[in-house]
Every structure is written in C-alpha cells, then in structure tokens.
Amino acid sequence: MHKTSSRLLALLSLLQTRRGWSGDELAERLGITPRTVRRDVDRLRELGYPVRALKGPAGGYRMDAGTELPPLLFDDDQAVALAVALQTAATGTTLAEDAARALATIRQVMPPRLRHRIDALRVTALHPLDAGDAPQVDAQVLTDLSAAIHTHEELRFDHAADGSAPDGRPEGHRRRVQPHHLVTRQGRWYLVAWDLDREDWRIFRVDRIRPRTPNGPRFAAREVPGGDVAAFVTSRFRGLDGTTTDWPCRGDVLLGLPAGAVAPFARDGIVEELGPRHCRLTLGAWSWTGLAAAVVRFDTDIEVIGPPELKAAFARLATRCAEAARDRDGKGAGRFLSDAPAVRRPG
C-alpha cells in the first residue's frame, strides 16, 4: 500500500508539471509498465482527479480542471513550502485569518516528521514600521480585482480621496480603468491600471477602492512602461516615469562609522567596508538636498566623494540648518507664515 501511494503521488506530481504526457513517458519516468500507469490513472480518477486520456498514436494523459476540489497530495518539500507560504501570505488583509485556518488544517494531517519540521520553522510576517495603521484589504475586493485582471474587463470604482497617488496627484471620486496587476509593497496592496480618463498609468491603493458593478467591456492588454511591473512600481514610488528604477540623484560619501553600523539603515544603498571605523556609502534620492539630508542622519564625520552636485547640496543644507538654529526663539517664523497660502489637508 505504501509503495502504491508513493507511486500515485509521483504520478500526480508529473501530471501537474506538464500539459500532457504519453503513457510510455510516464512509465519510463516512474519505472513501471504502461499497464500499471493505466491502473494508477484510474485510481486517481476514483479519488476525484480529472485525468483525461489523450488520443493519438502513442496516447497519453492530461490533468484537467474539475468541478470539485479533490484530495491533495504533496511531497515533503511541497508541504513544507506550502506551510511557510501560508505563514507569510496575506499579511495585512482579511485573507490572513483564512490562511491561518488552512495552515492549521494542513498541519493536522501531516505526518509527525513533517509536523516537527513546520513547528521548528516558525515565521512571523511583520507590517513595515512605516506602514502606519493601514486598514485591512477586503478579500472580496481582491477577488473582484483579480477576476477583472484575468478576464481583461474594464473596472469602475470609487477611490477614496483621503490621500495621494505615488505620483503626488490627489486621487478621488469615480475612476474608469483597465486593470493590469495587483502588487504588494511595504505591507500595502496596490492596483496597477491604465486610467482611461487620464490616458496614463496609475497606481491605486486597494484599501481605498470600492468597486462598482457591472464591469465594463473587455480590452486588449497593454504593457506597462519598461515591461517589468516590479520595476515600474518601484520607479513610480521614487518619483520617476516608470521606465527606470535609478534614482535621479546618486552620490558617494565616506562615513566615520563601521559598515555594520551603517548597513541596517542604508535602505537600498551600497555599503563597502574600508576599515574597522570607516565605510563608503553609495546612496540615491529624489533630489540632491534630499540625498544630503539622508546622509546627515548618520551622526558622524562625512567626506563627499562625489559628484559636485552633492557637495553643493551639503552647502545649501548647512546654510538652512544654520538659519534654523538662529531662529530657535521663533522670531523668524513670521516671514513664512505671513506669505504662506492656506493649506487644505487631503481627506
């Protein structure tokens, strides 16, 4: 019985990796006869797996989609990978509770050897510290968006006007888009879509989306700028046009700190160890002054390697800091407040 079960598991894994297999190929991979392959296929069908026989000179088999979820068989590595994925998936959404229940169900039927491996490999998925108290994303909204993306149907939805899009423009009211991708970034879910009214790409916070029904007509999918969704989203959040992830301003400095003390706070910068008390930091930012400010937060001596624009930014920043220090009693604040326009906070 154990040998038959193991063979069925191996056969099922093969059927799930390719569109179709000939009977001879399966027999050769499993080290059995074509007759045994036919018997094992019949056993899988009895268990609920929709295995279709293919016509042709050599014949063959293919796994089709079924109407009900059959019993699932996983090898050891697949079971461990699934358990780890369930521990880390759906962070910050209402799917988290379902993922926890699914993990408990899988763990209950695992053999002791696998249960011990899972219990020893506990993973805690944390919200990024800068994500704030973001509201959870409704699982039904994720499902609706995913379905529209899969079927290439236009979406109509209301997008709450309580914040700004990554490009800095205020979002709000009703939108009409061609949805393309769902992505997660720093604990939040985003929809990447082509905005039909603005004729441009937009990135929307999913927790602010309220879909309207029914969906619109189908559309021919287009490619995001640059062709890489991850690079496009990263680029937009850096204030770029979506075709490149390179920071518009990038420079190099020497810091009077060991590399180990700088690396945890260097974001996506590159830290090179130069000695026990010195390191080189290559960092990027959206402006030269912003880059200088990012470097100054390391409380140590700084030597600018280049480029000249970064040195000039440090000079401007030093002047501003000196002015701020002279106005510590608040006497200089009036010159800003008297000319400042009224500012209305979003939302």
Side-chain angles (χ1 to χ4, degrees):
M1 178 62 69
H2 176 71
K3 183 177 181 181
T4 301
S5 299
S6 300
R7 195 173 65 242
L8 288 177
L9 174 60
L11 174 59
L12 181 60
S13 296
L14 290 175
L15 290 172
Q16 292 173 334
T17 58
R18 254 172 52 176
R19 181 66 175 168
W21 292 84
S22 71
D24 292 338
E25 287 177 321
L26 291 173
E28 182 180 355
R29 292 289 296 267
L30 297 172
I32 56 179
T33 65
R35 181 179 179 182
T36 303
V37 170
R38 290 193 293 272
R39 289 202 304 264
D40 286 349
V41 167
D42 289 337
R43 291 190 179 98
L44 287 178
R45 288 169 176 161
E46 292 173 358
L47 290 172
Y49 293 96
V51 183
R52 176 190 293 186
L54 303 177
K55 297 180 180 180
Y61 302 95
R62 182 178 69 191
M63 181 73 73
D64 279 351
T67 58
E68 295 182 358
L69 183 65
L72 299 179
L73 299 176
F74 300 100
D75 59 32
D76 288 7
D77 291 339
Q78 287 176 324
V80 172
L82 179 61
V84 172
L86 287 172
Q87 290 187 52
T88 58
T91 301
T93 75
T94 53
L95 295 175
E97 182 179 349
D98 295 332
R101 291 193 298 107
L103 177 59
T105 300
I106 292 175
R107 184 187 178 281
Q108 184 177 3
V109 299
M110 279 183 174
R113 68 179 187 280
L114 289 183
R115 193 177 303 126
H116 293 325
R117 289 178 61 182
I118 296 302
D119 291 344
L121 188 61
R122 303 302 299 173
V123 179
T124 300
L126 300 179
H127 290 280
L129 295 179
D130 58 352
D133 298 324
Q136 290 189 340
V137 173
D138 192 315
Q140 187 60 51
V141 173
L142 284 177
T143 302
D144 293 343
L145 297 183
S146 297
I149 292 170
H150 179 71
T151 57
H152 295 162
E153 292 181 343
E154 292 181 6
L155 274 176
R156 296 181 306 119
F157 58 83
D158 293 321
H159 194 259
D162 55 353
S164 297
D167 57 10
R169 296 183 59 180
E171 302 286 353
H173 310 298
R174 189 172 302 179
R175 313 305 287 248
R176 190 169 60 94
V177 305
Q178 294 177 347
H180 285 266
H181 294 87
L182 278 173
V183 299
T184 59
R185 182 181 185 273
Q186 296 183 354
R188 297 185 187 274
W189 287 81
Y190 295 91
L191 172 68
V192 180
W194 175 262
D195 193 309
L196 291 166
D197 296 323
R198 290 155 181 80
E199 296 185 347
D200 193 10
W201 290 95
R202 289 292 188 270
I203 302 175
F204 301 95
R205 282 261 300 271
V206 173
D207 59 272
R208 295 175 179 168
I209 289 178
R210 298 296 177 267
R212 289 177 170 265
T213 56
N215 291 340
R218 297 200 173 193
F219 61 89
R222 66 185 77 204
E223 194 174 72
V224 297
D228 187 314
V229 177
F232 171 76
V233 173
T234 299
S235 176
R236 280 296 182 93
F237 272 92
R238 290 181 174 180
L240 307 176
D241 61 2
T243 60
T244 178
T245 58
D246 293 336
W247 287 107
C249 303
R250 197 170 187 86
D252 296 88
V253 298
L254 297 181
L255 300 177
L257 289 171
V262 174
F265 309 100
R267 300 179 299 179
D268 58 352
I270 299 174
V271 182
E272 302 174 60
E273 182 178 0
L274 300 180
R277 297 182 180 179
H278 297 84
C279 68
R280 175 173 177 156
L281 173 63
T282 302
L283 194 63
W286 57 91
S287 70
W288 292 113
T289 304
L291 178 55
V295 174
V296 167
R297 64 195 178 97
F298 294 100
D299 189 13
T300 185
D301 294 335
I302 302 169
E303 179 182 341
V304 179
I305 299 176
E309 292 85 351
L310 181 56
K311 283 192 174 184
F314 270 105
R316 291 193 299 271
L317 187 61
T319 300
R320 291 175 185 172
C321 291
E323 289 293 332
R326 278 196 292 271
D327 288 334
R328 282 179 300 178
D329 58 0
K331 293 181 180 179
R335 69 175 184 269
F336 297 109
L337 297 179
S338 60
D339 298 329
V343 177
R344 180 181 178 185
R345 295 185 62 186

